[in-house]
Amino acid sequence: MGTVVVGGISVVIVAAILRSMHKDKKAGKSLQCGGNCKNCGHHCG
């Protein structure tokens, strides 16, 4: 039972991280560009 609870919590955390990354990318922020995609040669696209 504990394994199921920990697994569920892990899935929720990973989903929240992925959602945050997706929202940041749509807003023009990216880890590869340091948040400034205008100066990275447009590899963030």
Side-chain angles (χ1 to χ4, degrees):
M1 184 67 179
T3 303
V4 174
V5 172
V6 171
I9 292 170
S10 297
V11 168
V12 170
I13 291 171
V14 169
I17 291 169
L18 291 174
R19 181 176 177 231
S20 174
M21 289 172 63
H22 181 70
K23 285 176 67 176
D24 285 348
K25 186 163 184 149
K26 286 182 83 173
K29 299 176 186 173
S30 177
L31 293 175
Q32 292 88 6
C33 297
N36 188 3
C37 289
K38 291 180 183 177
N39 295 323
C40 76
H42 302 289
H43 297 133
C44 303

